[in-house]
Amino acid sequence: MEDFSTTLEHRVVASKTATDVVRFSFIVRKSISYLDLGLCRDSMLLNYVGTSCDCCALKLSNSFINTEQKCRKFFTQSRSLLYTLHLDLPKGRECSLKDVPNSITLDHNPCIPHISKIIPACGFDILILSDFIEDAINIIKEEMKIFEWVLKMSFSDLPLLYVLKIRAVDQFIDCFYPEITDSAIFKDFIMYFDFTEWMSTYEKPEFLEYLLYYSRHYGREDLKQDVFPIDEIIDPCIFNRYFSNIGPILKYINVPIFSEDDYRLYLLKISAMRPDLTEERLRKAEERKKREIIHQMLQIIWMHIDCRQHHCTEDASEALRLIWCSVLDAYISFKEIKRAFRGIFIAEELKNIYDFYAEAVGESSESVEPRSLQHLCRSIIRRTLRENQIWIPEGLRQMCLPKAIE
C-alpha cells in the first residue's frame, strides 16, 4: 500500500536504456509514431517500483506506450486504488506529461504516486552516440574519417569531442600516437580533448606526456582553467594507483595543489582502517602544523598502506619522490609524523611509514629543516616556466642550467 499525502508531490521518472526511451517516446521524444521493437528484456527504468499487490504489472509489455494515461498506469500500479478512493487528481490539476510547467518541483522519489514527467536518464544521448562511434571505429576501421566527422559536430552547444565518453575518445588517441604531431586534425583534437577525465581513467604515461607536450606546443589554454584543474589531479592518480601518470603531469605543472575534497577522502579511507583517526584528532594536529602539511602526511600514510596491499611499492615510491621534488615544503621529520599520529598507529607502523617516505625522497631527519637553496631556485624556475605556459623540461633545456638544477 502506498502512502498518501495532502501535499501534491510530482515525480519524475528517468528512462535509462534505449528500450525504455523507444517505448515511451510518445512522451520522452514527443513522437507521433512508434517502433514496436519488442525490447522489453533490456529495460532498466530508474526509480521504477512495483508493489506486491500489482505483481502482474511487473511483466513489462512489448507494446509502445502511446497515451499519457497508459504511462501513468504503467508507473503507478495503485492508480486504480486512487480512482476507487476518489483520490485521483482533478483533470484541471493534472498537467500534461508533454508540457510540464517550470513552476512545479520534481522529485525522483519512487514512492511518490503522481507521475509528472518522464525523461531520458542524464547523459543518455551522449552515451548512445559514444556507443555508435565506438562501433563504427571497430567495424569500419576508418578512424580518421570518423574523427573528421566528430570534429565538425557539436552537442548541446559544446564540441562533440569534448562531451563524448572518454572510452570512445581513447580510441582516437591510438590513431595519433606517436607518429602524428603536426596535422590540423591533431591540433583540433588537442584543443578540445578532456585531459583530466582521461588522466583519471587511464594510466598511459607515454601517451599522456605526448598529449600534454603538444597541448603546450599548440598553445592550448592552461589546463588549470578546466572544470577540474590539472593541478589537483595528483591525489586522484594516487587513489587510482595511476602512479606512472604523475611524472608527465609534473612536467606540465610546477607543483600539485591539495584540495579539501582529497583531504577528506584520505581521512575517510584511512579512518576506515584506523577508527581512532577522526576529524577532531586532525584538528588538534593542525594546531601545531598547517593543514597542507597534515594533508601531505595523510598522502604518505595512504600511499604506504595502499601500495603494500596492492604490491606496487616501487611505483608509489617513485611518484612520491617526484612530488617532493616539486613542493617547496621542508621534508617531514619522523618526530612530526609521530606526534601527529601517535596512538593511531603503533610505533613500528609509524617507523615503517616514515622509512617508506624517507627512502622515496632520499632524506631522513629528526627535526624540521628548510629545503636547500638549490631546491628553492629550482622551484622558482619551475613556477616561472609554468606561468609562461612552457613545457618544463623543454624550458630547462633552453636555459642551459647546470644538471643539478634541472
Side-chain angles (χ1 to χ4, degrees):
M1 176 74 70
E2 295 184 28
D3 295 327
F4 299 103
S5 169
T6 56
T7 303
L8 178 59
E9 296 176 305
H10 300 270
R11 177 175 156 208
V12 58
V13 176
S15 301
K16 191 175 182 181
T17 68
T19 299
D20 300 319
V21 171
V22 168
R23 181 181 294 114
F24 296 97
S25 60
F26 173 72
I27 303 298
V28 175
R29 301 300 191 195
K30 298 186 178 180
S31 302
I32 59 174
S33 60
Y34 64 90
L35 296 173
D36 188 358
L37 301 178
L39 297 174
C40 67
R41 63 183 179 278
D42 298 319
S43 178
M44 287 179 62
L45 285 163
L46 293 180
N47 75 25
Y48 170 71
V49 173
T51 59
S52 57
C53 61
D54 292 309
C55 57
C56 59
L58 294 175
K59 298 177 181 178
L60 304 182
S61 167
N62 288 355
S63 62
F64 177 73
I65 306 296
N66 59 356
T67 68
E68 294 193 22
Q69 188 69 0
K70 286 182 180 179
C71 285
R72 297 187 194 279
K73 285 182 178 179
F74 179 87
F75 289 107
T76 311
Q77 285 86 49
S78 59
R79 195 168 176 86
S80 58
L81 176 61
L82 294 174
Y83 288 138
T84 303
L85 299 177
H86 304 290
L87 294 173
D88 200 40
L89 285 177
K91 187 175 181 180
R93 294 194 64 191
E94 189 166 65
C95 60
S96 169
L97 291 173
K98 288 187 174 184
D99 187 21
V100 182
N102 294 328
S103 58
I104 68 173
T105 301
L106 298 169
D107 196 318
H108 286 270
N109 184 353
C111 296
I112 296 173
H114 178 62
I115 306 298
S116 291
K117 192 169 187 177
I118 303 173
I119 59 172
C122 181
F124 169 81
D125 294 315
I126 197 63
L127 177 62
I128 294 295
L129 184 54
S130 296
D131 288 342
F132 285 158
I133 290 172
E134 280 190 86
D135 289 342
I137 292 171
N138 294 329
I139 295 169
I140 302 174
K141 306 296 184 184
E142 293 283 352
E143 293 91 343
M144 297 309 294
K145 288 184 178 179
I146 296 169
F147 182 66
E148 287 182 36
W149 175 82
V150 169
L151 281 177
K152 295 175 184 176
M153 304 299 291
S154 61
F155 185 90
S156 298
D157 298 324
L158 289 170
L160 177 57
L161 178 64
Y162 190 78
V163 296
L164 275 180
K165 292 301 177 183
I166 205 67
R167 67 173 189 270
V169 178
D170 184 60
Q171 298 202 33
F172 292 125
I173 297 175
D174 292 334
C175 306
F176 293 123
Y177 181 82
E179 293 86 3
I180 299 177
T181 59
D182 58 357
S183 71
I185 291 178
F186 179 64
K187 182 177 180 180
D188 288 340
F189 175 85
I190 289 294
M191 291 301 179
Y192 296 124
F193 176 54
D194 188 346
F195 277 88
T196 49
E197 184 181 0
W198 187 80
M199 283 186 277
S200 302
T201 309
Y202 296 98
E203 185 181 25
K204 297 182 178 181
E206 296 86 2
F207 286 64
L208 178 57
E209 184 163 337
Y210 164 80
L211 294 169
L212 288 174
Y213 171 79
Y214 282 101
S215 172
R216 285 290 192 223
H217 180 74
Y218 286 126
R220 174 169 168 166
E221 185 179 24
D222 197 293
L223 297 175
K224 69 181 177 183
Q225 307 296 337
D226 276 14
V227 176
F228 189 90
I230 190 173
D231 306 69
E232 298 179 11
I233 201 72
I234 296 294
D235 281 323
C237 285
I238 291 171
F239 294 135
N240 291 329
R241 292 183 291 280
Y242 292 168
F243 299 117
S244 298
N245 281 351
I246 291 175
I249 293 168
L250 288 173
K251 293 178 181 180
Y252 185 95
I253 68 173
N254 58 310
V255 64
I257 291 177
F258 302 107
S259 74
E260 282 296 311
D261 288 342
D262 293 329
Y263 183 94
R264 294 191 192 95
L265 189 51
Y266 279 125
L267 171 60
L268 183 66
K269 286 177 175 289
I270 298 171
S271 63
M273 303 175 184
R274 293 289 191 277
D276 289 337
L277 180 62
T278 61
E279 289 188 28
E280 179 62 28
R281 180 63 186 266
L282 289 183
R283 275 195 292 270
K284 289 182 179 178
E286 288 170 17
E287 292 173 2
R288 294 185 294 269
K289 292 292 177 183
K290 62 181 182 178
R291 192 175 180 87
E292 186 175 283
I293 299 299
I294 302 299
H295 188 134
Q296 291 170 333
M297 292 182 184
L298 291 172
Q299 184 185 77
I300 293 163
I301 291 169
W302 176 249
M303 290 176 77
H304 172 72
I305 294 172
D306 191 52
C307 72
R308 289 187 67 185
Q309 289 180 342
H310 294 90
H311 310 290
C312 52
T313 303
E314 187 175 335
D315 291 339
S317 180
E318 174 61 12
L320 193 57
R321 182 189 72 81
L322 293 172
I323 292 169
W324 279 86
C325 280
S326 69
V327 299
L328 275 166
D329 302 287
Y331 288 118
I332 294 172
S333 69
F334 179 63
K335 186 182 293 184
E336 287 178 291
I337 206 164
K338 183 179 178 181
R339 177 181 290 181
F341 296 96
R342 183 170 43 204
I344 297 169
F345 297 93
I346 62 175
E348 184 180 355
E349 288 175 320
L350 288 172
K351 186 177 184 307
N352 289 337
I353 290 168
Y354 189 76
D355 287 347
F356 163 72
Y357 165 72
E359 184 177 341
V361 302
E363 291 285 341
S364 177
S365 62
E366 287 296 323
S367 59
V368 179
E369 297 178 2
R371 302 292 288 271
S372 68
L373 181 59
Q374 186 181 81
H375 178 74
L376 296 177
C377 291
R378 184 189 299 121
S379 298
I380 292 170
I381 292 168
R382 287 175 58 86
R383 185 187 67 197
T384 304
L385 292 173
R386 171 73 188 283
E387 288 172 351
N388 287 277
Q389 300 191 27
I390 297 171
W391 181 247
I392 291 175
E394 190 171 63
L396 293 173
R397 284 194 298 270
Q398 292 173 356
M399 294 172 72
C400 299
L401 294 168
K403 192 69 177 176
I405 295 290
E406 291 187 26

